[in-house]
Amino acid sequence: MEDSIDEVNHMAEQSILLEAKNIVKDYGQGRVLDDVSLQIHKGEVIVLIGPSGCGKSTFLRCMNGLEQIQSGQIVLDGEVITEGKTDWPSVRQKIGMVFQNYELFPHKTVLDNVILGPVKVQGRDKKEVTKEAEKLLERVGLLEKKDAFPRQLSGGQKQRVAIVRALILKPEILLFDEVTAALDPEMVREVLDVILELAAEGYTMLIVTHEMQFAKAVADKIVFIDGGKIVESDTPEKFFTQPKTDRARRFLNTFIYEKETGGEKL
Amino acid sequence: MDTEFIAEYIPLYVEASRLTISIGLIGIVLSLIVGLLIAFIQYFKVPVLRQIAAVYIELSRNTPLLVQLFFLYFGLPKAGISISSEGCAIIGLCFLGGSYMAEAFRSGIESVGKGQEESALALGFQRSQVVRYVILPQALSVSIPALCANMNFLVKETSVFSVVALADLMYVAKDLIGLYYKTDEALLMLVISYLIILLPISILAALLERRLRYAEFGN
């Protein structure tokens, strides 16, 4: 009997790709993440939302070691990566990340930006990688820009290149840190469309965003964070229509605008 | 103006220029190496070495080259270490230049945003690869004007080498004035010699700076 329960547990664990266990992160005096735990299964798209400074970006950055955690565990593919000396470079090849400010390398062309990782980090053949890079660039509609420098691209184009740059390393999971926050409104769509496509292809993703409509469309699960804690997590259908907590309700209300009904109360 | 005198002593100036250039060049190359090394020590925050580097920078920048040379040439022999004139000149120039070059490199490195480093790390780069492929290329283009200015400065500083008995340009001019009282001619040749050596560096620096401005990265 016990055996079979163990087996069931084991099965469930197997499909967990990345797990954060009781993550605590302090910045000086303040506690930014307070005992945050989250499981991300293979193929799952989780969207983290919450007010500015709630710790959602920090949580993302802890997952690939850009921020050090004070306590807790991060488990990737069933292996605890935060015990002993972590080989972050190899972990990070499995955990891709796209940043708010693109952070393309300004001294390299679009193509060189994309192939630098696979060639230098993974030691792959440059010709082969170039072919692959061109295919990916074509997919996001930027093949004709391959010899351009980042400064010659629009924000939306830069961000699409940044996504390709992360994709070409064939990561097991992608982290998106407010990737449309620095974009002009008309460019938001082209970037979000790429992410929606990746979701449809079954990529595992952890996304921090302020685009609620997008969150609703892309997420399998919404995780609402406030004050460094997970306040609520649910399916987007439930979260956006009937949030369980008062805090989430108030947060969602800040996105609703109603026309002033005139005169009486202000 | 005694043109005959000038014609007669030009070879002396050429000889001295050669010395100034060769010691200046060796000093500049060594300063660049020391400067880059120190910039790395500061960037990677290497314990102990970092403190030593900080002390060195203050010591080097806040004492005149003349004093540094006196120490090397007259002070060290008293402790049983004697170094040749050329050795003193090169070590002195490198000691002075290293800190200036380090500061130039540091300002370049600091101009590269933290986000660049993070995005490279997120791609799985080792820290040394981040420096090599991402930070240094961008930092250098920012540092180049300051590095060129430092080279110019270091060549000018060679004019104190006569105190360690090196027959550099300044030494030759002083010698000629002392021997023949041909002050105007000797000084004119001195000025022209320095201009011939230094103008190309300045012009090169200006050209480089203009090119870099056109190639400005920006986001």
Side-chain angles (χ1 to χ4, degrees):
Chain A
M1 195 59 195
E2 258 184 36
D3 268 22
S4 69
I5 289 172
D6 268 359
E7 215 163 275
V8 169
N9 279 339
H10 187 66
M11 289 291 283
E13 266 168 33
Q14 244 186 0
S15 73
I16 296 173
L17 184 61
L18 182 68
E19 181 171 14
K21 287 183 180 170
N22 313 102
I23 302 291
V24 173
K25 164 80 190 166
D26 294 329
Y27 268 133
Q29 299 286 312
R31 180 146 291 189
V32 187
L33 293 174
D34 189 4
D35 196 23
V36 175
S37 297
L38 185 66
Q39 295 181 339
I40 303 142
H41 296 82
K42 220 164 250 172
E44 198 174 21
V45 178
I46 295 184
V47 174
L48 304 176
I49 63 174
S52 295
C54 70
K56 54 196 190 308
S57 282
T58 306
F59 178 74
L60 220 57
R61 294 160 56 82
C62 288
M63 291 301 104
N64 69 348
L66 287 181
E67 301 283 352
Q68 282 192 331
I69 55 174
Q70 267 67 51
S71 72
Q73 276 185 337
I74 299 169
V75 186
L76 177 67
D77 293 325
E79 264 176 69
V80 182
I81 56 174
T82 43
E83 243 145 58
K85 209 169 171 342
T86 312
D87 178 12
W88 283 112
S90 50
V91 168
R92 287 173 183 141
Q93 288 172 51
K94 296 181 193 161
I95 306 181
M97 184 164 186
V98 183
F99 296 82
Q100 177 177 344
N101 294 316
Y102 337 118
E103 298 298 349
L104 296 180
F105 306 131
H107 57 300
K108 300 220 172 266
T109 63
V110 165
L111 185 64
D112 285 341
N113 261 281
V114 175
I115 67 172
L116 193 67
V119 172
K120 299 297 178 193
V121 175
Q122 299 179 326
R124 291 172 56 197
D125 177 53
K126 195 174 168 181
K127 259 195 203 150
E128 178 200 314
V129 175
T130 302
K131 246 185 238 163
E132 207 172 303
E134 284 171 348
K135 219 179 277 171
L136 283 170
L137 284 172
E138 187 168 22
R139 261 197 50 187
V140 299
L142 288 173
L143 184 57
E144 77 276 21
K145 295 281 186 193
K146 71 181 170 126
D147 296 318
F149 281 92
R151 64 173 181 277
Q152 297 164 314
L153 303 182
S154 73
Q157 291 172 328
K158 276 187 240 189
Q159 199 57 293
R160 281 182 281 158
V161 173
I163 292 172
V164 167
R165 186 175 67 171
L167 275 182
I168 198 161
L169 291 167
K170 303 189 171 74
E172 294 173 21
I173 177 170
L174 282 164
L175 311 175
F176 290 90
D177 188 10
E178 297 192 34
V179 291
T180 58
L183 294 177
D184 291 337
E186 67 266 34
M187 288 166 185
V188 170
R189 188 63 198 241
E190 64 190 53
V191 172
L192 296 186
D193 279 343
V194 172
I195 302 175
L196 279 167
E197 252 179 67
L198 295 176
E201 275 171 45
Y203 272 93
T204 313
M205 297 190 274
L206 189 55
I207 302 172
V208 169
T209 185
H210 285 294
E211 304 282 339
M212 293 303 142
Q213 295 305 319
F214 168 67
K216 209 180 284 183
V218 78
D220 295 315
K221 187 159 104 184
I222 301 280
V223 172
F224 176 65
I225 299 181
D226 190 27
K229 286 184 177 176
I230 293 182
V231 178
E232 179 169 347
S233 75
D234 215 331
T235 61
E237 294 78 25
K238 283 203 180 129
F239 180 81
F240 285 108
T241 53
Q242 34 192 303
K244 285 178 288 210
T245 58
D246 203 39
R247 185 65 194 93
R249 207 169 303 128
R250 266 183 289 141
F251 176 74
L252 288 174
N253 279 337
T254 60
F255 290 90
I256 298 168
Y257 295 90
E258 272 171 48
K259 209 169 174 182
E260 284 293 335
T261 44
E264 281 180 4
K265 54 183 177 173
L266 217 153
Chain B
M1 185 83 35
D2 186 345
T3 48
E4 236 169 81
F5 177 84
I6 291 178
E8 191 182 341
Y9 287 105
I10 276 183
L12 265 186
Y13 278 88
V14 172
E15 194 53 41
S17 295
R18 216 170 271 160
L19 184 83
T20 296
I21 291 172
S22 58
I23 290 186
L25 208 64
I26 296 171
I28 285 171
V29 170
L30 291 178
S31 303
L32 284 170
I33 294 170
V34 169
L36 198 58
L37 215 66
I38 289 184
F40 278 147
I41 287 172
Q42 291 175 326
Y43 175 75
F44 286 113
K45 300 194 169 72
V46 185
V48 187
L49 285 182
R50 187 175 160 215
Q51 279 79 20
I52 294 173
V55 171
Y56 158 68
I57 287 178
E58 293 312 321
L59 200 60
S60 147
R61 302 218 308 169
N62 296 309
T63 52
L65 179 59
L66 193 62
V67 174
Q68 294 167 7
L69 287 175
F70 273 153
F71 174 78
L72 289 170
Y73 196 65
F74 300 111
L76 283 186
K78 293 212 161 54
I81 308 164
S82 56
I83 307 167
S84 67
S85 295
E86 287 86 357
C88 283
I90 290 169
I91 294 172
L93 205 56
C94 171
F95 184 82
L96 176 75
S99 62
Y100 281 86
M101 295 298 187
E103 293 291 285
F105 282 122
R106 188 180 58 89
S107 66
I109 289 172
E110 278 175 6
S111 76
V112 182
K114 191 100 186 114
Q116 285 284 306
E117 185 190 339
E118 287 182 347
S119 77
L121 286 176
L123 290 172
F125 282 92
Q126 305 281 351
R127 275 187 73 91
S128 58
Q129 290 178 312
V130 176
V131 169
R132 183 166 158 207
Y133 298 115
V134 177
I135 294 177
L136 262 193
Q138 296 182 60
L140 277 182
S141 75
V142 173
S143 295
I144 276 177
L147 293 174
C148 289
N150 287 346
M151 291 181 197
N152 209 310
F153 159 73
L154 287 178
V155 175
K156 283 188 280 192
E157 285 294 306
T158 61
S159 60
V160 302
F161 285 165
S162 55
V163 302
V164 293
L166 267 187
D168 78 321
L169 282 168
M170 198 69 196
Y171 184 96
V172 168
K174 273 198 246 173
D175 224 25
L176 289 180
I177 294 168
L179 283 171
Y180 306 109
Y181 299 108
K182 299 275 188 191
T183 312
D184 296 349
E185 290 82 354
L187 289 181
L188 180 71
M189 283 195 280
L190 181 65
V191 168
I192 290 174
S193 301
Y194 273 118
L195 281 179
I196 290 174
I197 297 173
L198 288 169
L199 270 181
I201 302 182
S202 298
I203 292 168
L204 188 76
L207 283 177
L208 268 175
E209 207 169 322
R210 212 163 63 197
R211 261 199 64 135
L212 288 172
R213 205 171 314 144
Y214 283 128
E216 200 180 327
F217 300 139
N219 241 330

